[in-house]
Amino acid sequence: MKIGIMSFAHVHAAGYARLLAGIPGVEVVAADPGDHPDGEVRGAMLAAELGVYYLDDYEDLFTWEPDAVIITSENARHRADVERAAAAGAHILCEKPLATSWADGLAIRDALARAGVTAMIAHPVRFSSDFARLRAQYRAGALGEVVAVRAANNGKMPTERSWFTEPQLAGGGALADHVVHIADLVDALTGATPVRVTATSNRLLYPDRDAESAAVILVEYSDGMIAALDSSWSVPQQAPAWGGLQMSVLGTGGTVDVDFFGSAARGVTSSGQAVEARYGADLDAAMLNCFLEAVRTGAQPQPDVETGLRGLSIVLAAQESAQTGRTVDVAELLER
């Protein structure tokens, strides 16, 4: 199987390349065209470090005729990259969020439909064993009716790539970066549709940046459930781990608390520096294996483009609510 990587812009691109390079029967070729910010290791240099073959531009990449591509470009460039890959007949794994505007999200869906290719959105946390157990409990009726969800996805600001704090390329800051992870888990658990969103955000943690560094979002769903989501770049850069994702699910039959990255050995070095070594299954590997199997069989993997659109709708509504100070009706926003 031939897999292309479109761009090294996203911080996850290097990890995907390493994992794919270690899978028997998979050929990996990367392309990372354009000018790259000073100090960021990208392009041919990063490909050499990862041990993957490198091509200078996307035209050469598609001349190679990949079976599938992983799109890890800047968020605002997802539409153009998806359209190009779909037109070439390549199946697609696209980093989240799906797009930075509703028009681009719909254009992505249309391009996929025209081409008839398989597409998946990169949400690795739903492949964790913790989430599998949570969903099994919910489907077995152990939680009853879910009334509320409280979740936090807090991490370090991604300093490895400067575009994350450039709203024109990222589509926002911490809100756009983290809310979609939690939204995807709620979506996969209950299948409820977001109907109203209230949000507030600020730039207090990194006032020199143009993007929000913290946000709190309240989402009302079609079944009456309410989800409170904390999304921020609040973890200090000197912390021993990047951050984490916690979720509490309150149902009429019980409550479940999940810490998706809580399995770790923690300690202090002789010099007094905190250390943390996390263990457990590699969620990126599980996600990639799901995608590769879908490419082989033609099955539609989850999360799909419709899931990506629902997550994007929450982001866009939250951004408008934070700007206006008002609760936003999702359907009304998307009809404008």
Side-chain angles (χ1 to χ4, degrees), residues 36-127:
H36 306 134
D38 293 340
E40 295 187 5
V41 180
R42 291 180 56 176
M45 184 182 300
L46 181 54
E49 288 185 10
L50 299 170
V52 299
Y53 193 79
Y54 183 78
L55 294 171
D56 287 327
D57 56 48
Y58 292 151
E59 183 176 351
D60 290 339
L61 178 66
F62 287 107
T63 298
W64 181 61
E65 297 184 341
D67 298 298
V69 298
I70 300 179
I71 295 175
T72 39
S73 55
E74 297 87 346
N75 300 338
R77 293 175 175 147
H78 286 178
R79 173 181 175 175
D81 293 344
V82 168
E83 290 176 335
R84 184 165 196 168
H91 302 292
I92 296 165
L93 174 63
C94 183
E95 258 301 338
K96 54 77 189 169
L98 178 65
T100 58
S101 72
W102 192 245
D104 281 359
L106 294 180
I108 287 173
R109 181 176 67 181
D110 291 345
L112 297 172
R114 286 193 304 270
V117 297
T118 297
M120 179 180 179
I121 312 303
H123 282 296
V125 183
R126 70 155 59 195
F127 292 92

Side-chain angles (χ1 to χ4, degrees), residues 140-222:
L143 299 179
E145 179 185 354
V146 174
V147 177
V149 173
R150 184 180 67 234
N153 189 186
N154 305 140
K156 298 180 182 181
M157 187 181 73
T159 56
E160 308 99 309
R161 294 290 184 260
S162 59
W163 68 266
F164 273 94
T165 58
E166 298 177 19
Q168 286 188 328
L169 291 175
L175 192 160
D177 188 28
H178 284 172
V179 164
V180 285
H181 276 303
I182 307 171
D184 177 67
L185 295 177
V186 176
D187 190 288
L189 181 66
T190 71
T193 302
V195 293
R196 282 178 294 277
V197 177
T198 308
T200 184
S201 66
N202 62 53
R203 296 188 296 149
L204 296 178
L205 295 173
Y206 296 95
D208 58 327
R209 307 301 175 108
D210 293 330
E212 76 280 351
S213 52
V216 177
I217 300 94
L218 189 69
V219 185
E220 301 173 58
Y221 285 85
S222 55

Side-chain angles (χ1 to χ4, degrees), residues 7-22:
S7 179
F8 284 138
H10 201 284
V11 292
H12 290 165
Y16 297 155
R18 288 191 184 96
L19 288 167
L20 290 168

